[in-house]
Amino acid sequence: MSKLKEMKNNSFPKVTMEEWVEQAEKALKGKPVSKLNTVTYEGITRKPVYTENDRNNHASKQLIVKSDWTVSQLLYACTSFEELNAQLKQELGSGLQSIHFATYPSTEPNALVIKDQTDIKILFNDIAMDGITLQIHAGSSATTFINALIDSGMETKNLQGIIGADPVGELAVTGTLNQPLEQYYDEMKSNIEWKENNAPFLKTVWVQSNAYHNGGASAVQELAAVMATAVEYLQELMNRGMSIDEASQEIAFTFPVGSDFFMELSKLRAARVLWANIVEAFGGDEKAQRMKVHATTSMFTKSNLDPYVNMLRSTTEAFSAAIGGADSINVDSYQQGNDAFSRRIARNTHYILKEESFLDKVVDPAAGSYYVENLTNQLADEAWKLFQELDKLGGIVEALRTNFLQGRIAKVKEKRLEDVQGRKKVLVGTNMYANLQEELKWQISTTAIEENEHAPVKVQAIQPLRLSEAFESLRYQAKLYQEKQGTTPKVTLINLGSLATHKPRTDFSSGFFQVGGLQPVVSPSFENAKEIVEWISDQNITGYVCICGSDDTYEELLHAAVMAVNSPNRKVLVAGLPEEARQKELQEIGVSDFIHLRSNCYEQLVKIHQEMGLTDNEA
């Protein structure tokens, strides 16, 4: 017992920040600790270590009040409503707690076209709604669905959840609305009046950040746009006779959660801070300042290539959402579709996080972390600044009309795409570690929005995308070429020196070409140019050839190797980046280009595809 007491009383010696910096700079061999700082897409500088001095606690209020969350899973369209009904029954019996789908007039690609009572009766047939949360996103207006619900005769008094509209969010993603915004706001108020008398536990306004997130926005831009949209609705509802307390409690929020673990969980926490401050500024009480947050795993981060990796992505995104205090979480299936296996895996992800990781047992587990608190506060500060800019422009709608918000988002999107193309941002199975043996299928798609010239409200749409699309296109082009030509497009790797010396660049080059769907053909290890010539003539090598070796081997053999390989029917590449003078010298004797860690991998592969004729097989 005495030893146990001693152990409890033991503690690590206190270390000052100055001492830590001193030791860190020794490890960095004299470089300053600031070299370890990184700058995020939000313009926030991440430091390598945080202390109590970094915790500037904005929010003294406890904004996250529960630890558990509702298990949600987006319903995809099937061949019939009978099939959807059977799927719902099976999944509700297997752990699903929410019926979640998009419906007409939502322009979501997976929206269910429910326009009358018949469809609703079939969809909800023999499903007991007690204890089940509804999460129905109706795009620009919930009126069509609510009217169908009324006509169906379904009991609504005890319905819980959301049947919500977000006309500004729909405007952002499609660029058009079919009627003036004032008319949508009138419908919004009318639907609230219906629900007060017939479905008091429902919310009817559902602000979505999907348009901004899937368009490549930063967390700051997402937060600012969503808050500006919510303020637009608050003001319009108050103009129609509602109090701030009544209006604020009609609004729910959706945030997709991406792959930056700490940034995304801090985004959800910062959203609550911002919303509480906004409602308080309008005069709302403490209850009105509570925020209803639904989180969903991100479409932006998913890939058709090596789709099982999507399971890992969704798991970490759901983990972020749970730590960030989401009230409900949609974990999408890794195939983003209807197949029973991938949907089961997605549902079970919730229960692994709850029952095995105990994330539903602690309220706001990130609270008190110097890093997370600091990041939350910085996000809230930066989002508030941008929110104020939007407000000065006249609000969210004017910011969209003038392309102010679209322009800001486009800059971040381009930086994200550059990082993926240059492989600073790694997408496993897509821009790194490609598996050329996998069977390629078209699965996830993002459809470009077509403009309606005659729409009464028009802005520039924020087109959705996925980070993986560029590399997917290369892989599918290569696949179509293989199907037409009967042979896989190849690049020959010429290895100089011993295996130990050329292997690092051989492996790098193999991975570089594979992410473009090009099969590397690896030569033996050559000690002289004569061996290269003999091997190439036996193999009848044409097309692209990439020379791989160490810097020392290059000094000895590279010049002779280039001369041996170069011919009119071959393009010569070199793995590595020599000094500028040496590059010119090599280019004069036949080297076309160099591949290296700082290459824009995508751009170089596009050029290779074009010269190999693969772009005639556009995917």
Side-chain angles (χ1 to χ4, degrees):
M1 186 63 76
S2 61
K3 283 188 178 179
L4 183 60
K5 267 190 173 180
E6 281 179 34
M7 288 171 66
K8 284 184 175 180
N9 291 329
N10 282 342
S11 62
F12 291 105
K14 287 191 175 180
V15 177
T16 66
M17 190 63 181
E18 290 73 20
E19 289 173 307
W20 182 87
V21 168
E22 184 182 343
Q23 293 302 315
E25 289 184 345
K26 280 183 184 176
L28 292 169
K29 299 180 180 177
K31 291 179 183 175
V33 170
S34 59
K35 284 285 182 184
L36 299 177
N37 292 349
T38 56
V39 179
T40 71
Y41 296 113
E42 291 72 21
I44 293 171
T45 299
R46 278 189 170 120
K47 301 188 295 185
V49 68
Y50 288 79
T51 69
E52 191 170 7
N53 295 331
D54 294 300
R55 188 183 171 194
N56 171 23
N57 193 4
H58 266 335
S60 55
K61 300 172 188 172
Q62 177 63 40
L63 297 173
I64 300 175
V65 295
K66 66 173 191 172
S67 56
D68 202 1
W69 66 90
T70 301
V71 175
S72 177
Q73 190 168 23
L74 185 65
L75 198 63
Y76 283 77
C78 287
T79 54
S80 69
F81 282 102
E82 287 86 357
E83 189 178 343
L84 280 171
N85 173 259
Q87 181 180 318
L88 266 179
K89 287 175 181 173
Q90 185 274 321
E91 293 182 352
L92 287 167
S94 304
L96 186 64
Q97 297 172 340
S98 172
I99 298 176
H100 176 200
F101 57 86
T103 184
Y104 176 87
S106 171
T107 55
E108 286 282 328
N110 54 10
L112 309 183
V113 183
I114 298 175
K115 293 185 178 181
D116 59 41
Q117 58 174 305
T118 306
D119 299 331
I120 287 182
K121 286 179 178 177
I122 296 171
L123 181 61
F124 294 118
N125 183 42
D126 287 337
I127 294 177
M129 302 302 290
D130 295 340
I132 296 173
T133 302
L134 284 179
Q135 294 178 317
I136 301 170
H137 182 248
S140 56
S141 173
T143 300
T144 299
F145 184 85
I146 288 174
N147 285 342
L149 186 64
I150 293 167
D151 293 341
S152 73
M154 185 174 164
E155 177 56 52
T156 60
K157 283 285 184 185
N158 295 318
L159 290 181
Q160 298 184 48
I162 312 162
I163 301 176
D166 179 16
V168 174
E170 192 78 357
L171 176 64
V173 77
T174 65
T176 61
L177 288 174
N178 293 327
Q179 60 189 30
L181 275 164
E182 291 297 319
Q183 199 168 327
Y184 286 111
Y185 298 146
D186 289 340
E187 289 183 21
M188 197 178 277
K189 178 62 167 58
S190 177
N191 291 334
I192 290 170
E193 289 171 354
W194 167 82
K195 85 103 196 186
E196 285 173 347
N197 297 315
N198 299 281
F201 304 114
L202 286 176
K203 294 181 185 292
T204 56
V205 182
W206 197 357
V207 181
Q208 310 268 311
S209 74
N210 303 51
Y212 313 106
H213 178 91
N214 294 334
S218 69
V220 165
Q221 291 164 342
E222 266 190 76
L223 288 167
V226 163
M227 293 304 148
T229 302
V231 166
E232 172 87 0
Y233 297 155
L234 283 179
Q235 290 172 327
E236 293 296 335
L237 291 174
M238 290 167 70
N239 290 343
R240 286 162 175 77
M242 293 184 72
S243 70
I244 179 61
D245 291 344
E246 291 169 335
S248 65
Q249 290 179 73
E250 281 301 318
I251 302 177
F253 296 82
T254 287
F255 290 97
V257 175
S259 58
D260 188 333
F261 179 78
F262 287 105
M263 184 63 72
E264 295 298 305
L265 76 87
S266 298
K267 177 176 79 179
L268 299 187
R269 297 176 84 249
R272 292 187 187 273
V273 174
L274 290 164
W275 182 238
N277 289 343
I278 286 168
V279 175
E280 186 177 33
F282 273 101
D285 62 23
E286 193 166 322
K287 184 181 176 184
Q289 294 168 29
R290 300 284 181 204
M291 188 182 199
K292 187 77 171 176
V293 176
H294 172 70
T296 179
T297 53
S298 171
M299 178 271 285
F300 185 72
T301 62
K302 302 304 179 293
S303 175
N304 290 330
L305 304 175
D306 208 346
Y308 295 109
V309 181
N310 289 336
M311 277 194 273
L312 305 179
R313 295 178 180 120
S314 290
T315 300
T316 58
E317 289 164 5
F319 189 15
S320 271
I323 298 290
D327 298 298
S328 62
I329 302 173
N330 167 58
V331 179
D332 222 337
S333 60
Y334 71 87
Q335 303 269 36
Q336 296 210 338
N338 279 321
D339 64 294
F341 175 74
S342 68
R343 291 183 68 81
R344 177 184 168 217
I345 292 293
R347 281 194 309 283
N348 286 349
T349 299
H350 290 274
Y351 291 101
I352 291 169
L353 295 175
K354 286 176 185 251
E355 306 298 333
E356 296 187 23
S357 303
F358 306 109
L359 296 187
D360 63 340
K361 302 295 187 288
V362 182
V363 175
D364 197 6
S369 160
Y370 301 143
Y371 172 40
V372 173
E373 295 286 12
N374 181 275
L375 190 53
T376 299
N377 293 334
Q378 285 195 77
L379 273 177
D381 284 341
E382 293 304 314
W384 184 254
K385 289 175 189 173
L386 181 55
F387 168 80
Q388 288 178 311
E389 287 188 62
L390 300 180
D391 193 52
K392 283 179 184 174
L393 286 170
I396 184 66
V397 177
E398 200 57 33
L400 290 169
R401 278 193 178 121
T402 58
N403 287 345
F404 173 84
L405 192 54
Q406 294 93 321
R408 290 285 186 94
I409 291 171
K411 289 178 182 177
V412 177
K413 178 186 75 173
E414 290 307 314
K415 182 68 173 74
R416 290 187 191 276
L417 293 176
E418 283 174 18
D419 288 347
V420 169
Q421 292 175 8
R423 306 202 294 179
K424 290 179 183 176
K425 166 74 174 174
V426 174
L427 304 178
V428 173
T430 301
N431 70 351
M432 291 284 276
Y433 315 118
N435 174 17
L436 292 191
Q437 306 310 311
E438 72 174 304
E439 183 182 354
L440 299 186
K441 297 177 181 177
W442 287 111
Q443 292 170 356
I444 312 164
S445 63
T446 48
T447 307
I449 303 298
E450 294 182 8
E451 289 188 14
N452 176 1
E453 292 181 7
H454 305 294
V457 185
K458 289 197 301 181
V459 301
Q460 181 182 304
I462 301 173
Q463 296 285 357
L465 76 154
R466 290 176 295 105
L467 284 172
S468 58
E469 287 178 9
F471 282 92
E472 286 174 4
S473 178
L474 293 176
R475 290 282 296 279
Y476 281 102
Q477 282 177 181
K479 175 192 175 184
L480 292 174
Y481 177 89
Q482 180 183 352
E483 289 174 352
K484 287 182 179 180
Q485 303 297 326
T487 181
T488 306
K490 298 178 177 65
V491 176
T492 304
L493 307 187
I494 302 295
N495 296 316
L496 305 184
S498 66
L499 175 64
T501 59
H502 70 68
K503 191 174 189 308
R505 280 186 174 144
T506 302
D507 290 347
F508 168 79
S509 301
S510 295
F512 189 97
F513 296 118
Q514 284 170 340
V515 298
L518 309 177
Q519 181 68 55
V521 177
V522 183
S523 78
S525 304
F526 298 121
E527 298 294 338
N528 57 63
K530 183 182 176 185
E531 292 176 355
I532 299 172
V533 172
E534 290 173 357
W535 185 80
I536 285 181
S537 60
D538 288 342
Q539 301 294 317
N540 190 28
I541 302 298
T542 59
Y544 270 88
V545 175
C546 183
I547 299 173
C548 306
S550 68
D551 288 346
D552 291 340
T553 310
Y554 283 170
E555 286 293 326
E556 185 181 343
L557 290 175
L558 183 55
H559 192 281
V562 173
M563 298 296 289
V565 167
N566 190 28
S567 78
N569 63 350
R570 298 187 197 115
K571 288 266 187 179
V572 182
L573 304 174
V574 171
L577 186 63
E579 292 180 357
E580 196 170 328
R582 178 70 166 146
Q583 286 181 47
K584 288 180 180 177
E585 180 187 329
L586 291 168
Q587 286 167 338
E588 286 172 3
I589 61 170
V591 173
S592 297
D593 209 346
F594 304 87
I595 63 169
H596 48 87
L597 289 171
R598 285 182 284 170
S599 292
N600 184 313
C601 178
Y602 173 72
E603 287 184 358
Q604 285 190 280
L605 288 170
V606 166
K607 183 179 177 184
I608 293 170
H609 270 230
Q610 289 170 341
E611 293 182 348
M612 291 177 75
L614 272 62
T615 47
D616 297 335
N617 304 280
E618 290 285 352

